[in-house]
Amino acid sequence: ETVAAVSGTILQSIFVQNATDVTFPQNASTPSTTIVSAAITPTATNSKIVIYWSYRGEMNGGSYPAVSLALSRTISGSATGLQYMYYLGYQGNDSGHRMLHHPGFYQDTPNTTSEITYYLYGGNNTGSSFSGTYGGHANGNNNKSEILIMEIGV
């Protein structure tokens, strides 16, 4: 017997934590270092995918330092940027050490039943031109970044 999903029902969920310290490259203009990722295969083409993430990291050094994040998805080898967040932790020309926590969410409508991998990327960012040594990274000092992906029936 097949039971139809009720609209708004969570059909499946995937949760991943990453505790591995990840250092962001110097002078990168876009976030390109994987912080955490997870894959899901939707059961229906009209399903919504809700993604929650939590970035935990730190930054220091450089001139006008900040951290940037990007949420991206890959379906059958084709990557699509979904959301970008810039200047996290920015406090002017203060290069002091800062611990950062940035949660976020996104609702996607991928229209597929193929496997989808969602990535949270990070990178150093600056409110000026890159100058000095930037120390942005994720998951250090016993912190864990996380991603939760849920398929929602429509």
Side-chain angles (χ1 to χ4, degrees):
E1 176 182 349
T2 302
V3 177
V6 175
S7 179
T9 301
I10 298 173
L11 303 177
Q12 60 175 316
S13 66
I14 309 293
F15 178 74
V16 174
Q17 285 185 321
N18 184 11
T20 302
D21 193 359
V22 177
T23 301
F24 303 147
Q26 295 294 311
N27 306 340
S29 59
T30 57
S32 59
T33 303
T34 301
I35 296 171
V36 64
S37 66
I40 192 168
T41 303
T43 59
T45 56
N46 65 343
S47 291
K48 305 283 187 196
I49 306 294
V50 176
I51 307 101
Y52 293 96
W53 69 85
S54 177
Y55 158 74
R56 290 183 178 90
E58 50 195 293
M59 57 175 282
N60 60 21
S63 178
Y64 299 90
V67 167
S68 57
L69 301 175
L71 179 68
S72 179
R73 74 164 182 232
T74 300
I75 303 172
S76 302
S78 178
T80 302
L82 301 173
Q83 190 173 47
Y84 297 89
M85 298 132 287
Y86 293 102
Y87 306 111
L88 303 175
Y90 179 75
Q91 293 180 353
N93 197 19
D94 176 5
S95 62
H97 185 252
R98 293 189 274 291
M99 301 297 288
L100 302 173
H101 176 227
H102 184 76
F105 60 92
Y106 185 84
Q107 180 177 287
D108 193 14
T109 309
N111 297 313
T112 186
T113 55
S114 296
E115 182 181 75
I116 307 165
T117 303
Y118 290 93
Y119 297 90
L120 182 62
Y121 293 115
N124 286 305
N125 196 213
T126 180
S128 180
S129 59
F130 282 103
S131 174
T133 302
Y134 295 81
H137 58 100
N139 313 327
N141 292 316
N142 298 314
N143 285 302
K144 297 175 185 171
S145 292
E146 304 161 332
I147 190 167
L148 172 65
I149 305 170
M150 296 182 289
E151 178 185 8
I152 309 296
V154 177

